[in-house]
Amino acid sequence: MQKSAILVLACFAFYSCRTTEEVYFNVTEPAPVTIPTYVKKVGIINRSVISDSNGVRKAIDDVLSVKGSELDKECGNESIRGLRDALMQSNTFQNIVFMDSIKIKNSFPGAFPSPLSWDKIKEICRLNNVDVLFVLELFHTDTRLTLIPSPAGIISTAIVSAASVGTNINTGWRIYDPQNRVILDEYPIMEGLTYTGGGLNPMDAVPALMNHKEAVMGVSYHIGQCYANRILPYTIRVCHEFYIRGSINFKIARRMANAGDWNNAADLWNKETTNQKLKIRARAYYNMAIISEINGDVYGAIGWAKQAYETGGKRLALIYLSDLQDRKAQNDLLKSQAHGQ
């Protein structure tokens, strides 16, 4: 009991003497892929359909995989629809066109093909009046039907306890920029899903197969939407510390901040930037950096953080200054990704 009481008192003393508290807020990160700002019109083509010249390989693939010959084509187009819908909702480009009349096929199922020639890319873009091409280079589903035996351990056409239908979806995308002759992105996405059904014979698994196809179509659409996120900025939640002790103003400002009244808290911290004590001034500078970043003023935050470190020499301020320099670089990249929305 005595040891427990000492531990509780020690913990209380630690938390009651803490000089900082955590604050969480959202920041916008640049997209993983930067599309040049001159790009206004986007074309999308499906190159994932297997070439007729490789009919033997295609037939083998269909035999080994439980699927209809058109499943990959249907699901590939559904994935493109997901990409197109997501890009349209983002309002990033003036026009987005799925050019389904263009037939460029993949010669080998399940493989990422070599890039298209720049002459071919330029011709497609010129004829269709688009600036870049999003190409679904690969879309391949690998479906397996597994018959799960009865407790007696027998697999037959008459005695089956269940059937499991599993599909792996393997996709690959490229973005071609003909003006700079650059492949802006080359990215594979893989997903998988499983359905189970059963009864006294394999025909009882048919409903599971039918539902499974609809599920594969849905996942295919989702894959396209996910790929659109490669070119769209996104929001993350970050955590930083701010000072809550040093003077009466820090204590009052802490309560204001906890109540969401950050502007009035900042007024009190700003008053402490002229405090005669270096330690208190340094803490005030640091907190002013925090509120500046919360308000979106990263340049102002860097200025305050520099003063905080130069005045107080605390490692916390130096780490935060480094974070802010990274944030500035990210914001500069964000500006370069703006398409005039």
Side-chain angles (χ1 to χ4, degrees), residues 329-341:
Q330 297 290 72
N331 283 357
D332 291 343
L333 182 55
L334 267 172
K335 291 178 182 177
S336 75
Q337 294 179 345
H339 284 257
Q341 300 99 301

Side-chain angles (χ1 to χ4, degrees), residues 147-162 199-202:
L147 301 182
I148 304 171
S150 65
I154 301 172
I155 299 180
S156 71
T157 58
I159 306 173
V160 175
S161 59
L200 294 178
N201 63 73

Side-chain angles (χ1 to χ4, degrees), residues 19-54:
T19 57
T20 63
E21 208 167 70
E22 292 179 340
V23 58
Y24 294 84
F25 53 93
N26 294 332
V27 297
T28 302
E29 291 279 285
V33 179
T34 298
I35 304 295
T37 54
Y38 59 76
V39 174
K40 307 298 180 185
K41 300 176 182 179
V42 168
I44 308 174
I45 64 175
N46 186 358
R47 187 193 179 191
S48 68
V49 179
I50 304 305
S51 171
D52 294 333
S53 64
N54 202 344

Side-chain angles (χ1 to χ4, degrees), residues 2-32:
Q2 187 177 7
K3 288 183 179 179
S4 298
I6 292 173
L7 181 60
V8 170
L9 287 173
C11 291
F12 177 78
F14 171 76
Y15 285 107
S16 63
C17 294
R18 285 191 61 182
T19 57
T20 63
E21 208 167 70
E22 292 179 340
V23 58
Y24 294 84
F25 53 93
N26 294 332
V27 297
T28 302
E29 291 279 285

Side-chain angles (χ1 to χ4, degrees), residues 3 5 10 21 46 53 56 58 101 139 145 156 165 175 192-193 195 203 233 265 273 289 315 325 330 335 339:
K3 288 183 179 179
E21 208 167 70
N46 186 358
S53 64
V56 173
K58 180 175 180 294
S101 61
F139 194 101
L145 174 61
S156 71
V165 187
I175 303 175
L193 70 160
Y195 261 65
M203 289 306 296
T273 59
R315 185 169 178 270
Q325 296 286 7
Q330 297 290 72
K335 291 178 182 177
H339 284 257

